[in-house]
Amino acid sequence: MPEKRESMLYKENWEAAKKRLEALWSNEIIDRCCVAIRAPKNNVKNRTGLYIKPAEHEELVKYHTDPEYVLSRNIVEFESTYYGGEALPVLNPTWGDSGYAIYFNSNYKYSQRTTWFFPTIEDWEKDKVVFNEKTAQRHISFVEEIAKNAKGKFLMSAPDYIGGADALINLRGVENTLMDMIDVPEKFLEGLCEIRSAVKKVGSEFFKIINKACEGGSAWAWYDTWAKGSHNLVQCDFSAMISPQMFEELILPDLEENCSLLDCA
């Protein structure tokens, strides 16, 4: 049975917050609604320096993928932040935006604000979505290193569990993908299927690691939520560019499949 703590190192009253979050997933309320309040502590007046990213791509790779670097900058944030109510100290071990695209035959470059992807699938007759097992295993090992330091101190989320379309456009390109959805929707759906199979495989490995470090559950930093089992955000930013009918036919089934892989989506 997972160990219970009234507090974790960077979160006071953890057990009370945990009970409120568990009630949230059951559409129940214990004593009040869940709230998340953050404030600087330990006389920290300016925390801007915590979020300044290096300018060069090579240093940005380290910023995202070096476990010691990632852990140290997150610890600085945890130590200098007051987490009130259900605000949570969560480390998100993502390797950049649209994280699942990096597990395939992708070409990308980090910048200070985002991750830029350059299309690698030029022609569906010649090119395919190819899963890169080596990259996925490197990321799993990275998450394992971070998790060794989490128990009793902070929570972790799994890397982005986005819908497949947001990953596919980074391999195929936005304009090409939009035309595919009209001209060859079967190729688009095949690509989604390949990505989803990797999400299922890699995601299950992430949650095995994170659940052990986070009292049988997992967190999501953007929403300050924690839940038992597997918990993540599922979305499709790309849907803003298509019609409701096209969304229902080509996007929604993939999102539903991704949600079915999670205990709390």
Side-chain angles (χ1 to χ4, degrees), residues 54-62 108-111:
E56 299 300 321
H57 173 72
E58 290 74 16
E59 285 300 309
L60 282 166
V61 171
K62 182 179 178 182
Y108 61 95
K109 185 175 183 178
Y110 292 121
S111 74

Side-chain angles (χ1 to χ4, degrees), residues 211-227:
N211 289 168
K212 290 179 181 177
C214 298
E215 300 188 28
S218 45
W220 187 245
W222 292 0
Y223 296 151
D224 280 299
T225 47
W226 176 93

Side-chain angles (χ1 to χ4, degrees), residues 45 56 65 71 91 107 137 175 178 189 196-197 256:
K45 295 180 180 180
E56 299 300 321
T65 66
L71 186 62
L91 192 152
N107 178 19
Q137 287 301 323
E175 296 88 349
L178 286 168
L189 292 173
R196 190 165 59 248
S197 66
E256 290 175 336

Side-chain angles (χ1 to χ4, degrees), residues 87-126:
L88 303 172
V90 182
L91 192 152
N92 181 6
T94 183
W95 275 5
D97 306 275
S98 294
Y100 274 98
I102 66 173
Y103 302 145
F104 299 91
N105 46 323
S106 58
N107 178 19
Y108 61 95
K109 185 175 183 178
Y110 292 121
S111 74
Q112 285 184 306
R113 292 190 177 184
T114 188
T115 309
W116 292 103
F117 285 85
F118 307 93
T120 54
I121 299 175
E122 300 293 343
D123 184 345
W124 281 118
E125 297 304 317
K126 300 176 183 177

Side-chain angles (χ1 to χ4, degrees), residues 8 14 21 25 38 86-93 154-161 207 210-211 213-233 262 264:
M8 63 175 71
W14 160 236
L21 290 168
W25 289 104
R38 282 180 175 75
E86 283 63 68
L88 303 172
V90 182
L91 192 152
N92 181 6
F154 57 86
L155 299 171
M156 292 179 67
S157 68
D160 292 346
Y161 219 84
F207 286 117
I210 291 166
N211 289 168
C214 298
E215 300 188 28
S218 45
W220 187 245
W222 292 0
Y223 296 151
D224 280 299
T225 47
W226 176 93
K228 291 179 180 178
S230 56
H231 164 44
N232 212 295
L233 169 72
L262 298 164
C264 293

Side-chain angles (χ1 to χ4, degrees), residues 42-235:
N42 297 337
N43 298 316
V44 176
K45 295 180 180 180
N46 187 349
R47 298 167 68 245
T48 307
L50 294 174
Y51 306 103
I52 296 176
K53 295 182 181 179
E56 299 300 321
H57 173 72
E58 290 74 16
E59 285 300 309
L60 282 166
V61 171
K62 182 179 178 182
Y63 178 92
H64 286 289
T65 66
D66 184 306
E68 289 187 15
Y69 194 128
V70 172
L71 186 62
S72 62
R73 63 182 170 82
N74 276 275
I75 291 299
V76 171
E77 179 178 358
F78 297 153
E79 290 177 341
S80 61
T81 304
Y82 165 74
Y83 296 95
E86 283 63 68
L88 303 172
V90 182
L91 192 152
N92 181 6
T94 183
W95 275 5
D97 306 275
S98 294
Y100 274 98
I102 66 173
Y103 302 145
F104 299 91
N105 46 323
S106 58
N107 178 19
Y108 61 95
K109 185 175 183 178
Y110 292 121
S111 74
Q112 285 184 306
R113 292 190 177 184
T114 188
T115 309
W116 292 103
F117 285 85
F118 307 93
T120 54
I121 299 175
E122 300 293 343
D123 184 345
W124 281 118
E125 297 304 317
K126 300 176 183 177
D127 307 317
K128 295 181 180 180
V129 175
V130 180
F131 179 55
N132 188 327
E133 181 86 34
K134 198 171 287 186
T135 300
Q137 287 301 323
R138 281 178 50 232
H139 202 177
I140 290 169
S141 297
F142 167 86
V143 173
E144 284 179 326
E145 285 299 311
I146 298 292
K148 289 177 183 177
N149 299 273
K151 194 171 184 179
K153 299 176 183 177
F154 57 86
L155 299 171
M156 292 179 67
S157 68
D160 292 346
Y161 219 84
I162 59 171
D166 285 346
L168 184 58
I169 62 172
N170 290 319
L171 305 175
R172 177 70 171 139
V174 176
E175 296 88 349
N176 290 334
T177 304
L178 286 168
M179 294 307 298
D180 288 343
M181 296 175 83
I182 297 170
D183 295 334
V184 285
E186 69 279 2
K187 294 294 183 182
F188 173 80
L189 292 173
E190 285 175 14
L192 288 190
C193 186
E194 288 293 329
I195 291 173
R196 190 165 59 248
S197 66
V199 168
K200 184 176 182 179
K201 181 177 181 180
V202 180
S204 64
E205 292 299 315
F206 285 139
F207 286 117
K208 286 178 188 175
I209 299 164
I210 291 166
N211 289 168
K212 290 179 181 177
C214 298
E215 300 188 28
S218 45
W220 187 245
W222 292 0
Y223 296 151
D224 280 299
T225 47
W226 176 93
K228 291 179 180 178
S230 56
H231 164 44
N232 212 295
L233 169 72
V234 177
Q235 67 185 61

